[in-house]
Amino acid sequence: QITLKESGPTLVKPTQTLTLTCTFSGFSLTTSGVGVGWIRQPPGRALEWLALIYWNDDKRYSPSLKSRLTIARDTSNNQVVLTMTNMDPVDTATYFCAHRTVVTGEPADYWGQGTLVTVSS
Amino acid sequence: QSALTQPASVSGSPGQSITISCTGTSSDVGGYNYVSWYQQHPGKAPKLMIYDVSKRPSGVSNRFSGSKSGNTASLTISGLQAEDEADYYCSSYTSSGTWVFGGGTKLTVL
């Protein structure tokens, strides 16, 4: 059974760096074809794909946010960490982490419950 | 990359069929058979309903179907039920090796 859970601060100040952790179970990020990604959703708005890391440490970033994002994995602890620099109120959103495989083309098949991050001074 | 274009809202009566469109470009929807559709109820995580244009994950009702023509993909829901009322998002793989979502469509079951 695949599960993912996001954790991190619920409130950050403008210009600060956000660090979110995705802790997962039911799969290994060392298994060929597996990836873990991040997707966010501002309140009342659409989903936005952010970043993805694969079993082989290949990393992909949204072109519009690439300069602000870093994704990394901790395979021993079954975790993926996303950092986003220079936070702004427009970055207020629910941040989801999700599992995917290269066998199919969707960005995510299993999702975490999401964590709401508010950016405010 | 710009978000894929979806109608803001669609509606239908129970038992009817509705179709939601998702328009992109040759760099995403038109270039790959990697369009997926998600259903999202308020306060919940999205649920995968269709992947690779027209395939259904195990457990998803066969009332949900997907198709694609050129740069436009479509999600059809037949035999509308009250529990189908939700937001629906399309997504596509892109030539950048990343993914892009649509703006979302709110489905109202009248």
Side-chain angles (χ1 to χ4, degrees):
Chain A
Q1 176 194 3
I2 290 176
T3 65
L4 306 100
K5 187 171 185 179
E6 307 85 353
S7 60
T10 58
L11 179 65
V12 298
K13 295 184 184 326
T15 75
Q16 286 187 335
T17 293
L18 171 68
T19 299
L20 293 173
T21 300
C22 175
T23 303
F24 55 85
S25 63
F27 67 95
S28 171
L29 200 40
T30 61
T31 300
S32 179
V34 173
V36 173
W38 289 90
I39 296 153
R40 71 178 179 179
Q41 184 174 37
R45 301 189 63 181
L47 300 168
E48 179 181 18
W49 187 87
L50 298 177
L52 173 70
I53 188 166
Y54 283 113
W55 81 101
N56 58 1
D57 209 35
D58 181 19
K59 298 161 187 162
R60 308 291 174 88
Y61 295 102
S62 165
S64 62
L65 292 168
K66 185 173 183 177
S67 64
R68 299 174 54 205
L69 294 173
T70 302
I71 192 169
R73 60 182 184 157
D74 178 352
T75 54
S76 59
N77 289 311
N78 283 348
Q79 292 181 329
V80 169
V81 176
L82 180 76
T83 60
M84 179 179 291
T85 61
N86 194 25
M87 293 292 285
D88 183 271
V90 300
D91 296 312
T92 294
T94 295
Y95 288 75
F96 296 96
C97 68
H99 165 281
R100 80 169 304 268
T101 76
V102 299
V103 175
T104 53
E106 74 277 6
D109 47 10
Y110 295 91
W111 296 64
Q113 64 190 24
T115 185
L116 176 61
V117 177
T118 301
V119 183
S120 175
S121 55
Chain B
Q1 61 200 26
S2 299
L4 306 176
T5 300
Q6 298 181 232
S9 63
V10 297
S11 62
S13 299
Q16 289 186 331
S17 295
I18 62 95
T19 297
I20 300 171
S21 62
C22 170
T23 301
T25 69
S26 58
S27 296
D28 38 64
V29 174
Y32 307 91
N33 287 323
Y34 292 147
V35 175
S36 52
W37 291 89
Y38 294 89
Q39 176 191 67
Q40 187 180 34
H41 288 108
K44 300 294 187 182
K47 175 186 177 183
L48 180 65
M49 305 302 284
I50 295 288
Y51 67 96
D52 294 354
V53 176
S54 59
K55 299 176 182 176
R56 277 188 310 275
S58 174
V60 172
S61 171
N62 60 9
R63 297 185 299 104
F64 291 82
S65 62
S67 62
K68 191 186 84 166
S69 177
N71 296 337
T72 299
S74 299
L75 172 72
T76 298
I77 308 174
S78 59
L80 268 180
Q81 300 179 0
E83 58 262 36
D84 299 333
E85 184 162 297
D87 294 328
Y88 290 85
Y89 294 92
C90 63
S91 177
S92 175
Y93 183 74
T94 80
S95 58
S96 301
T98 60
W99 282 264
V100 62
F101 283 94
T105 298
K106 181 177 181 60
L107 169 61
T108 301
V109 180
L110 302 170

